[in-house]
Amino acid sequence: MPAGSDRRTVFACTGCHAPLTSPLSRVVLPAHAGQRYGYGLLDALMAPGTFAVDPEPYGPPWRRWAEVGAAEAEARGVYAPVSALSYGPRKTIVVPPGDVLGTTFIAGRLDGGCCGLDGRDGLNLACSRCGQPVATRIDDCGHWHATRLDPTAVYASPAPTDPVPITSWETLASDRPGTPPVEPSGWRSPQWEAAIAVTGAYLLAASTGRRITVPGGPLADTFGRLLDALLPPGPGTTSLALAGPGLPTVSAAISLVPQHPQTGDLWPQPATVRSVPLSWDVWAYLAYHRERRPVPGAGTMPSSALRDDPLPLHPSGRLEPDREIFSDTLARLPEVKQPWLRQIYDYVRTRPYTHQSWVTPPK
Ligand SMILES: [Zn+2]
Ligand SMILES: [Zn+2]
């Protein structure tokens, strides 16, 4: 296999060796993997032909925080109270439902909230050949559709197909210039809200409780309100800058760096700089996209006036970090044990739900 490429994988049943997926190439688990969003049917979580591995435990059995306690939760990588912890398997393999082969629904395990399956009963798909339960399909409304293969019921084998090249940072920068925060419908992008929630939690932990100076423009539009609301007032002491392929090197205490969409590697930084990761598609949009391309006026406008062409998309509502994903990420960062950050965590987590923004300072 050439260097810089990745063998495609077929997952097969441990019971009978039947193939259960088409050949898949590995990518990073999307930030919106665990997102609950609205009441409509959502898209597939994974792009066709790809899979990701979730390092966190997934699915039932669940145990409530009061039963688990802080010490055991910490041993499981959760450093602040959450309502319940999954004691399901770690490293479930997340694949698009359309790439799953040879499975049958398991009667009696097909519950969901409303329009489909939400996985509450655990494994709901069995291998069609031998009957072994192998996967959980999730396709209810408000969930990104996915099938999660149980890592104890399947094994990976190399597919007899060409390996997939690992895209270089330089090629990514020229060929994959990011996803806009607004969908063509005008609705704000839930994928963006998930990605900026994860990064927002990392940024807060990296701030060590001191105000961060965010450069104006897209970076301030995306993270400024969150940091202003949750960090103490006063002049910024910690600097933040985007760093990554194609950008000039800026010296800042915290670098917002892209995560490689296939390998998960972060754009390398000197040891003295704290790196905070951001999903490639959001990072690239912030780094490369210039929303306004003014052109001289037309029609009755004076030619000295400038207009936007095409008109920029503006979201129907304010882009907000996903609150649940923000809390879930923060709970899994050891820094949340520090009193200043725990206070912020408790404030965000216990705020009542309203139609207003959750990104507001504590009273
Ligand atoms: Zn089987
Ligand atoms: Zn529904």
Side-chain angles (χ1 to χ4, degrees):
M1 190 168 71
S5 62
D6 192 16
R7 180 65 85 190
R8 273 183 242 252
T9 302
V10 165
F11 292 93
C13 174
T14 56
C16 70
H17 309 294
L20 295 173
T21 68
S22 47
L24 304 173
S25 61
R26 185 166 178 173
V27 296
V28 167
L29 184 71
H32 55 286
Q35 188 176 35
R36 296 293 311 276
Y37 194 82
Y39 300 99
L41 287 174
L42 299 179
D43 211 341
L45 175 64
M46 306 298 298
T50 67
F51 76 96
V53 177
D54 187 351
E56 290 291 322
Y58 175 77
W62 292 85
R63 288 178 61 194
R64 301 199 69 77
W65 176 259
E67 291 173 55
V68 176
E72 187 176 330
E74 186 169 332
R76 298 180 66 80
V78 179
Y79 302 97
V82 293
S83 55
L85 276 82
S86 165
Y87 278 70
R90 285 183 194 272
K91 298 187 180 175
T92 52
I93 300 135
V94 188
V95 304
D99 277 307
V100 176
L101 316 166
T103 59
T104 313
F105 286 117
I106 303 174
R109 295 199 189 171
L110 301 177
D111 219 350
C114 169
C115 303
L117 311 175
D118 66 4
R120 68 181 62 188
D121 305 312
L123 300 175
N124 57 23
L125 290 175
C127 169
S128 301
R129 194 187 285 174
C130 73
Q132 170 174 243
V134 288
T136 307
R137 174 156 169 165
I138 303 105
D139 57 14
D140 203 355
C141 55
H143 295 260
W144 296 97
H145 295 191
T147 300
R148 287 180 178 253
L149 303 172
D150 181 336
T152 64
V154 302
Y155 64 91
S157 61
T161 53
D162 289 339
V164 181
I166 301 290
T167 309
S168 69
W169 287 111
E170 291 66 33
T171 307
L172 275 176
S174 62
D175 293 358
R176 194 165 156 177
T179 303
V182 188
E183 298 191 330
S185 63
W187 196 251
R188 52 188 204 265
S189 156
Q191 294 97 323
W192 254 71
E193 293 191 323
I196 67 174
V198 170
T199 299
Y202 277 96
L203 267 178
L204 212 59
S207 75
T208 64
R210 283 173 306 191
R211 186 56 78 94
I212 296 178
T213 308
V214 184
L219 212 48
D221 293 345
T222 308
F223 295 107
R225 208 162 55 88
L226 177 80
L227 297 173
D228 287 349
L230 299 182
L231 288 171
T237 54
T238 311
S239 52
L240 172 72
L242 281 174
L247 296 189
T249 308
V250 180
S251 81
I254 305 175
S255 283
L256 212 52
V257 298
Q259 184 181 37
H260 193 285
Q262 289 167 289
T263 63
D265 292 342
L266 302 186
W267 176 257
Q269 287 292 283
T272 51
V273 175
R274 172 95 184 231
S275 289
V276 167
L278 181 57
S279 298
W280 171 264
D281 290 309
V282 172
W283 183 92
Y285 187 90
L286 290 176
Y288 309 133
H289 184 75
R290 295 294 165 261
E291 188 164 55
R292 308 193 71 172
R293 292 182 213 91
V295 296
T300 55
M301 287 174 76
S303 59
S304 58
L306 296 177
R307 65 194 168 88
D308 286 304
D309 186 25
L311 287 173
L313 277 173
H314 289 295
S316 54
R318 188 148 53 178
L319 196 71
E320 289 244 306
D322 183 300
R323 174 171 157 178
E324 299 303 322
I325 292 180
F326 177 81
S327 301
D328 284 352
T329 307
L330 215 47
R332 286 163 179 80
L333 298 179
E335 288 91 337
V336 78
K337 291 198 291 178
Q338 295 166 21
W340 69 271
L341 191 52
R342 174 62 189 273
Q343 212 175 348
I344 293 174
Y345 175 81
D346 289 342
Y347 164 70
V348 169
R349 192 167 159 266
T350 56
R351 291 200 57 194
Y353 277 89
T354 68
H355 288 295
Q356 268 114 46
S357 168
W358 69 265
V359 185
T360 52
K363 292 270 179 331

